[in-house]
Amino acid sequence: MLNRGPARIGIADVEQASPESEKRDASHIMGLPAVLFAGICYCLASGSMVLLNKHALASFNFTAPNSLLFFQCALTVVLVKSCEALGLIKPLQPLKKDLVMVWFPVNIIFVSMIGSSFFALQHVGVGMVTVWKNLSNFVTAMGDVFIFGKRYSLAVWGCLGLMMASAVVGASTDSRFSWTG
């Protein structure tokens, strides 16, 4: 093997990024792994929406939570379509009747769940609403086990156990909790 001395890197070499480095850059946002960044953004958005909704529903004696829910759903559609138009996200699939019919029941259930949490936020503290949302993960996992025969790892059961423990601790410290609100 010949030793050619110190390697010299030219401008052409720097400008040509390897597919591996491009892939690495695409998987990081602001120096964080894209998955972690997405998770942080989701937590921030979810937490701020719960707090803002509680403030809107409880502080202003807001009596129409369905209109707030409609406004938030409409705003989501506008923001997603705007991001698509600006090229920030991949183009969306065209709306097809068969696709709408398949997802319609799921969307009704989802919007009903969000709507019921709006009604709960009017009368229950944010902590208790969060506790009940966390318990829904446990109910879903139990449904998977008993209805579909799915098996989960010990780590998943450990996480669910911690969520249950936090629910009990959270409920025990909420002095304003009552079944009637």
Side-chain angles (χ1 to χ4, degrees):
M1 181 180 261
L2 295 173
N3 185 357
R4 297 181 185 203
R8 295 187 182 208
I9 300 174
I11 293 178
D13 296 326
V14 174
E15 290 177 352
Q16 292 180 347
S18 68
E20 184 179 301
S21 67
E22 287 178 10
K23 187 176 183 181
R24 197 175 330 117
D25 291 339
S27 66
H28 285 74
I29 300 172
M30 295 177 26
L32 295 172
V35 172
L36 178 62
F37 184 79
I40 290 169
C41 288
Y42 172 79
C43 289
L44 290 173
S46 178
S48 63
M49 286 302 295
V50 169
L51 293 173
L52 289 171
N53 287 339
K54 174 66 176 177
H55 183 65
L57 295 170
S59 298
F60 302 115
N61 199 18
F62 198 78
T63 58
N66 286 336
S67 62
L68 182 60
L69 177 61
F70 175 77
F71 170 75
Q72 289 175 351
C73 288
L75 182 61
T76 300
V77 170
V78 169
L79 289 174
V80 168
K81 292 304 278 182
S82 298
C83 287
E84 179 189 28
L86 293 171
L88 298 173
I89 60 173
K90 295 177 184 176
L92 302 174
Q93 290 183 21
L95 206 54
K96 299 175 187 167
K97 184 178 179 182
D98 57 337
L99 188 62
V100 170
M101 296 310 290
V102 167
W103 283 100
F104 186 73
V106 175
N107 284 307
I108 292 297
I109 292 169
F110 178 73
V111 170
S112 299
M113 179 196 67
I114 299 292
S116 67
S117 74
F118 274 37
F119 285 106
L121 274 173
Q122 286 181 309
H123 305 290
V124 181
V126 170
M128 282 309 298
V129 170
T130 303
V131 164
W132 288 108
K133 282 183 178 181
N134 287 342
L135 288 177
S136 70
N137 294 325
F138 181 76
V139 171
T140 301
M142 294 306 291
D144 280 348
V145 168
F146 290 115
I147 296 171
F148 300 112
K150 185 169 179 154
R151 300 178 68 85
Y152 289 106
S153 69
L154 189 59
V156 170
W157 288 114
C159 284
L160 289 171
L162 287 173
M163 292 170 82
M164 293 291 288
S166 71
V168 170
V169 170
S172 68
T173 62
D174 192 349
S175 61
R176 296 180 313 143
F177 176 76
S178 73
W179 288 109
T180 58

